Each structure stands twice: as structure tokens, then as C-alpha cells.
Amino acid sequence: DIQMTQSPSSLSASVGDRVTITCRASESISGYLNWYQQIPGKAPKLLIYAASSLQSGVPSRFNGRGSGTDFTLTISSLQPEDFATYYCQQDYSALRTFGQGTKVEIK
Amino acid sequence: QVQLQESGPGLVKPSQTLSLTCTVSGASISSDFDYWNWIRQHPGKGLEWIGYIYNSGSTYYNPSLMSRITISVDTSKNQFSLKLTSVTAADTAVYYCARIAESRRAFDIWGQGTMVTVSS
């Protein structure tokens, strides 16, 4: 299995802050990395696919970068609706795997 | 637009079989370009991919669950289903169905999820 490790596991931030979440794969996954946002009680929502492509309808303050084993999701200016848990997911292997999640909380 | 909706019992007894159905609207489950998935989330935990079906019958399962899983499709109803046998409390989770669009290679459409509790 390809292991996906996110850091940090949680963070506290204020509205307007710039926030960066890191995801590391246990082996190279090229650019096959996706990011999801999950609000409590809701299904995950696709934000970024193929490491850096913004899903339709997702605000441009979300930005993804990386390739190989190291990836980042940056929220340029945190908004109240962005407080949620974020997951990375690799689509390089047929056995899809997710990171453990990063919870973004209000400071 | 494409929508997915899970249905099935919310309570299953230990050792029995968990059966869920995902109804797809706005897209054909027979599409050559989409993969139809089951994913679960244990309470307060992360996401675990269970398996998928595509091309109206080809499947791929998570090896950790493979011995207990069957995913099937009913093209006449535009539905796909999950059966998980010999359940235990460890199978208590929210179960989601989701689509992978081949063009994105990402879970772009999700159902709302259904909570399944394994308990006597």
C-alpha cells in the first residue's frame, strides 16, 4: 500500500490567515494527488485534483502544488466556511489511499 | 447534474451481511469512463477505500477487505451495490458511494453517506 502522511494533524488559525497543509507519500505518485474538504456530518468534497487542478466551483484561494512524494495544499486567506478537515488521497495505485486528515480549527 | 444516493439498513447484527445500494442519477453506470466506488469512514476517523466497479462488471477491491466484499451493478436500475459479509463491530462506519471520473482520477461526486451500526 502507498501510505499518505499529512502534517500537521490539526492546526488553529484565524480568518484571513494563510494556511498550508503538507501531504507526503511513501513512494512516488507522480502528480496523482487529490485534496478533499470535509465538514462535520457531510461527505468529503473534491477541491484539487492532479495535484494542482482546481475542481470546478472551488474558490481560487485554494491552491495545490507538488509532485513525486511531497505535496501541499494552501489556503491563501482562510474564510469562516473553510474550517473543516482536509484529506489528501493518492490515485497512482489502484489501491486508493487517504491521508489521516488535517483538522483546521478556529483560533 | 450527477447525484449519488446510498440506501440500506442502518443496523446489522454481528456475523450477518451488510448490504447497501447506491442509486446514480444524471449519469449512466455503464459509462466506460467512470468508476463507481464504496468508501467508509469509521466514527471520528479517516477515510478507507473499499473497492470499485467499472465497465458494467469489472471490480477491484481493497485487499484488506477482499475476502468479505462483493460489489455488483444493476444497469437496468442504474445502481451499484455493496455486500460485506461476516460483519463485526469494526465494520460500524459511515458508508459512502462515490464516482471516480477517469478524466480527473479523483472522487468528484459523493453520496451523502449512510451510517451503518453493527450491533446485536
Side-chain angles (χ1 to χ4, degrees):
Chain A
D1 303 8
I2 298 176
Q3 306 300 317
M4 308 300 294
T5 304
Q6 292 180 231
S7 61
S9 295
S10 64
L11 64 90
S12 295
S14 301
V15 172
D17 284 354
R18 180 182 182 90
V19 167
T20 296
I21 300 168
T22 296
C23 178
R24 175 165 288 176
S26 59
E27 61 184 83
S28 177
I29 58 170
S30 187
Y32 295 107
L33 190 284
N34 306 311
W35 290 98
Y36 303 86
Q37 176 195 65
Q38 187 176 34
I39 293 168
K42 300 292 187 181
K45 171 187 172 184
L46 177 64
L47 298 175
I48 301 284
Y49 63 96
S52 60
S53 294
L54 196 66
Q55 173 69 344
S56 176
V58 174
S60 58
R61 62 180 180 273
F62 291 93
N63 180 265
R65 297 186 64 180
S67 65
T69 60
D70 295 317
F71 301 85
T72 58
L73 172 69
T74 298
I75 308 171
S76 60
S77 178
L78 203 62
Q79 297 302 300
E81 60 268 30
D82 300 337
F83 292 95
T85 299
Y86 294 83
Y87 294 94
C88 63
Q89 174 252 325
Q90 64 81 17
D91 207 79
Y92 183 80
S93 165
L95 174 49
R96 274 81 176 174
T97 50
F98 293 86
Q100 81 280 15
T102 295
K103 187 174 183 178
V104 176
E105 299 176 300
I106 301 173
K107 183 182 285 186
Chain B
Q1 75 274 26
V2 182
Q3 292 184 311
L4 281 64
Q5 176 70 57
E6 305 90 348
S7 59
L11 181 64
V12 181
K13 288 182 167 50
S15 80
Q16 293 192 344
T17 296
L18 180 160
S19 296
L20 296 173
T21 296
C22 182
T23 300
V24 179
S25 58
S28 171
I29 203 162
S30 301
S31 168
D32 291 337
F33 306 108
D34 298 327
Y35 296 68
W36 305 99
N37 298 260
W38 288 99
I39 296 161
R40 69 180 181 179
Q41 186 169 35
H42 295 102
K45 303 296 184 183
L47 298 157
E48 179 182 28
W49 176 76
I50 297 171
Y52 65 63
I53 191 164
Y54 68 101
N55 205 16
S56 300
S58 300
T59 55
Y60 187 80
Y61 302 147
N62 189 321
S64 68
L65 297 167
M66 184 183 296
S67 63
R68 298 195 292 132
I69 298 170
T70 301
I71 298 177
S72 59
V73 65
D74 185 337
T75 54
S76 67
K77 296 181 179 178
N78 221 36
Q79 295 175 334
F80 65 106
S81 298
L82 169 70
K83 290 191 188 301
L84 180 64
T85 63
S86 305
V87 297
T88 70
D91 295 308
T92 293
V94 175
Y95 285 77
Y96 295 99
C97 56
R99 180 184 80 168
I100 290 175
E102 188 178 65
S103 60
R104 283 170 171 68
R105 291 187 61 167
F107 301 105
D108 67 334
I109 306 292
W110 294 67
Q112 65 185 25
T114 187
M115 180 69 200
V116 179
T117 301
V118 178
S119 174
S120 55

